Each structure stands twice: as C-alpha cells, then as structure tokens.
Amino acid sequence: MQRSPLVIHSVGVHASGRNTQHFTMAGQRSGIVLAAVAALSALCGLWGSVASYEIKAVTRPVIMSESPFWDDESSTVIFVDVIGKEVLRYDPSSGELKSISFKNQTGRVTPAVPVRGSSQLLVGVGRVVHLVDVDWGAAGAAAAIRKDEPLVEVEAKMPGNRFNDGKADKEGRLWIGTMDDSRTSRRRRRRRSDTNKGELFRFDLHRHPEKGYYINTTCAVNDGLVIPNGMAWTRDNKGFYLADSEKSVVYRFDYSNKEGRISNRTVAFNFSDYGVPGAPDGLTMDVDGNLWIACVHGGRVIKVDPHTGKLLLTIKMGVTNVSAAEWGGANRDVLYVTSAKYQMDDKQLADEPNAGCMFAITGLGTRGLPNMPFAATSRSWAMRLSASWSLLSLTLFLSVFAALLH
C-alpha cells in the first residue's frame, strides 16, 4: 500500500556556515516569522538568500534507497534499494511505485542508469555491470525482467569491493566508483586506516552488429580515493565533481568531454570547514553551478557554491541517513532525495518513520541540469563509414591511375 505523503512546510535560511533556521509553521504565523527573519538578516548583514520550500515523502520506505535518476522518456524516477537488491521506478503523476528484484544475484545493487532509446538499464550488481531489459508493464501491472546479461566485472582481485554511486556524462559514458564494503574494511575505517581503496571507472558501451553489446572499461582514478560517491559535471562540461564519503570532501577535477578524461584534482568543499555533520553522499548540480549534497548520517541536504567553497543553504530532512539528491520533473525543478533505514533499531525507526523513503522538495527557486542516459555506440555505423571511405579511396586511386595511363 502506498504511504500517504508526509508534507513539511519549511523555510531554510542561509547562515554563511553558522546556522540554519528551520520553521514548520503555516499561514500568517509563517509569513510573520519569515518576514522577521529576513528583516533581521538584512539588518545584521549575516544571512544570504531565503528560500521557501516544501518536502514530501513520496514513496514507501525501503532499506537503502540510492542513486535517483530522472528518466525523460517515461517521466519517472528510477532508483535502487542497495541492500534490498531492487531497482525501483516511481511515477510522480500517479504515485505508483514498481520494482524489479536482483535477490538471486550476489552483491549489492547500485547504480541503475537507462540506456538511451531503449527499455534497457545498465545495473551495477556487486562489481559486475549488467545489461537488463525491463518490461515495466501497464499501470497496475507488475514489472518484469525480460533479459539480464552480465557484461563486465572490475577489481576481480579485490573481492571486498563493490560498486557505489554512478552516473553518465554528456556523451553517455557511465562512471561508477567502487568501495571496500567487507567487514575488515569497516573495521579499518573505524581505525582511520589508509589500507582501504576505492577507484573510479568509466564504461563505454558498444553495440557490434554480430557480437552484440560489449563494454570498454577505463580506470579513471586508481589512487587517493576511499569511498568515491556522488558526482556531477559542470554545465560547460569542463569540470567534474566527486565526493569521497570517508574523507568528507568533494573534489573538483578538470574534465575533457571529448576524451572522457579527468585531471588536476582539488578540494571544492570540505565538511570540516563548516562543521557539517555526516559525510557527503550523492550529489547533483543546478543551473547556477551550485552543488546540492546529501549528507549521510547528517540528516540534511546542503547547497554549496563550489567556486568559493561556501555553504549557502541547509535543508534538514527529518531522517538521519540522507543518501542522494537529483533534480527531476518536467522543468527539472523538483529535487528528489533518497534515504536509508539500514541498521536502525526499533526506537530509531519509531522516531524516523520515513527513513528509507524518497522525498520530493519543491519551491527551491532553481532547477537542475538534464540527466544523461547511457548511450551505446553502434559499431555497425563505424564499419559502414570505414567501408564507404575505403570504396571512395579505391575509386579515386583508379581514376588517377587511369588518367596517368592516358
């Protein structure tokens, strides 16, 4: 049964990293308080912009919802339950939530990214990328997997590692980070050991006319990462942002869109600089170039200017484990935020009944950049082009040779 949406009317106030006020009032009292706060802010010169917004829990709780993706073709949000081993699809027009299961597979499930112009998804299961053909069915009907094809595995010599978050760039190349999720890894993290290792991979999907799909894999970053997580590209595709949850930082890289290559890592935002609780998890970017970062164990989403490293806005979500944020909706003005209830006890669940839900936040006064589906490069076109060029070259050669003979 679908959970009735929880609606929270809130006003978030930027405090230049000092405080974030939260109000849950309605009607005239809310307006009076907002006006008073705005007046005081202007008088003191301490506060930035004021944004009113509304938060709704739009899905039932799952164990660990993650990696939301707004799919333009179906106008739905596709996301995963990492621990429950499901890929889910939420339809905001009807409120319907459907899922497909990978419980018979070994490993956590994340991420899930649509393949452009098809009914297929690329799904990370453990350390293996799967190509999955899905029949989502008509309204009210159950979804089903038509075909599940494992394509490529990474880090075969690192069995404790698994995929974490991932997205596709403008050219449709898939980027996924890995993390050590073994029990010994968790113990090492508690001791702040440097022996854990995460990496960042780029996957290029190709379609051969006879052999079918295959993937070329490139390790883009193989050192200095522990838990690579949320990622985003700048509007001009010259910059790339990547969170490392263990280090509580968001990195910026220079990005070559043509080559699909990143370089020149710097720190764009450090949680410790502003005393932000928790750690950076999934993140996204708006049209103004600001980052919206989910704070796992921190119960909030923060808006950050990555150019100045300043904290602009804090949105307290009412759940502790906020896992990811992504823009969606027809105008890209709805921020979808996922959360988790993994390893929470009965008291914690009673205090946070919406832990594990996906939320929709509206009224933020900005919008996001388009999500990119994964794109398969057809080898048949390359082969046809090559054949056409060879034929043209042969024709020119024969023409020149004939002219010389005469």
Side-chain angles (χ1 to χ4, degrees), residues 192-209:
R192 296 291 175 182
S193 169
D194 293 329
T195 56
N196 293 316
K197 183 178 181 180
E199 296 179 306
L200 180 65
F201 289 90
R202 190 190 79 225
F203 300 95
D204 299 79
L205 182 66
H206 301 284
R207 184 189 297 116
H208 191 280

Side-chain angles (χ1 to χ4, degrees), residues 118-329:
S118 75
S119 58
Q120 298 168 314
L121 301 171
L122 277 187
V123 180
V125 182
R127 301 183 316 278
V128 180
V129 177
H130 290 239
L131 181 65
V132 184
D133 190 13
V134 184
D135 178 8
W136 290 108
I145 296 176
R146 294 192 187 100
K147 185 179 180 181
D148 180 2
E149 180 183 0
L151 292 181
V152 66
E153 180 182 17
V154 300
E155 299 180 333
K157 296 182 179 180
M158 303 171 72
N161 274 24
R162 68 164 175 88
F163 284 137
N164 200 20
D165 207 355
K167 287 183 180 178
D169 65 16
K170 184 180 179 182
E171 302 303 319
R173 296 170 292 226
L174 182 62
W175 296 70
I176 308 179
T178 63
M179 59 174 283
D180 190 341
D181 198 35
S182 62
R183 291 183 179 180
T184 53
S185 163
R186 290 190 285 272
R187 286 196 294 269
R188 287 197 299 265
R189 286 204 296 271
R190 286 194 291 269
R191 297 196 304 268
R192 296 291 175 182
S193 169
D194 293 329
T195 56
N196 293 316
K197 183 178 181 180
E199 296 179 306
L200 180 65
F201 289 90
R202 190 190 79 225
F203 300 95
D204 299 79
L205 182 66
H206 301 284
R207 184 189 297 116
H208 191 280
E210 298 175 356
K211 299 179 181 179
Y213 288 99
Y214 67 95
I215 283 183
N216 288 337
T217 305
T218 302
C219 184
V221 180
N222 65 359
D223 66 322
L225 298 176
V226 183
I227 305 181
N229 215 320
M231 58 190 73
W233 288 263
T234 58
R235 196 171 190 174
D236 62 6
N237 287 298
K238 293 182 179 180
F240 172 74
Y241 292 94
L242 177 69
D244 190 320
S245 299
E246 176 65 16
K247 298 185 177 182
S248 291
V249 299
V250 176
Y251 294 115
R252 185 196 183 278
F253 297 81
D254 292 335
Y255 186 69
S256 170
N257 186 60
K258 180 179 179 181
E259 300 174 358
R261 181 173 53 84
I262 58 177
S263 59
N264 302 326
R265 173 170 40 185
T266 58
V267 174
F269 185 78
N270 193 324
F271 271 42
S272 64
D273 289 347
Y274 286 88
V276 178
D281 205 321
L283 58 82
T284 188
M285 178 166 279
D286 64 27
V287 292
D288 303 311
N290 298 312
L291 293 173
W292 296 75
I293 307 168
C295 303
V296 66
H297 310 308
R300 63 198 64 202
V301 173
I302 58 173
K303 176 184 177 182
V304 168
D305 182 345
H307 305 290
T308 62
K310 290 184 178 180
L311 174 63
L312 303 177
L313 179 71
T314 295
I315 301 174
K316 294 182 179 178
M317 296 298 301
V319 294
T320 301
N321 295 313
V322 185
S323 56
E326 189 57 80
W327 294 100

Side-chain angles (χ1 to χ4, degrees), residues 65-81:
S65 61
E66 258 274 21
S67 301
F69 181 98
W70 175 262
D71 181 29
D72 279 315
E73 293 187 13
S74 61
S75 296
T76 61
V77 184
I78 295 170
F79 63 106
V80 300
D81 181 353

Side-chain angles (χ1 to χ4, degrees), residues 52-129:
S52 61
Y53 51 83
E54 182 180 85
I55 305 173
K56 293 182 180 179
V58 294
T59 70
R60 60 173 170 81
V62 298
I63 303 173
M64 185 184 288
S65 61
E66 258 274 21
S67 301
F69 181 98
W70 175 262
D71 181 29
D72 279 315
E73 293 187 13
S74 61
S75 296
T76 61
V77 184
I78 295 170
F79 63 106
V80 300
D81 181 353
V82 178
I83 307 299
K85 298 187 179 184
E86 290 185 318
V87 175
L88 304 99
R89 189 175 81 161
Y90 166 70
D91 186 344
S93 65
S94 65
E96 187 173 41
L97 182 66
K98 295 187 177 186
S99 65
I100 54 175
S101 175
F102 294 84
K103 287 183 171 61
N104 62 333
Q105 302 280 357
T106 300
R108 314 291 199 192
V109 174
T110 184
V113 178
V115 177
R116 185 178 300 164
S118 75
S119 58
Q120 298 168 314
L121 301 171
L122 277 187
V123 180
V125 182
R127 301 183 316 278
V128 180
V129 177

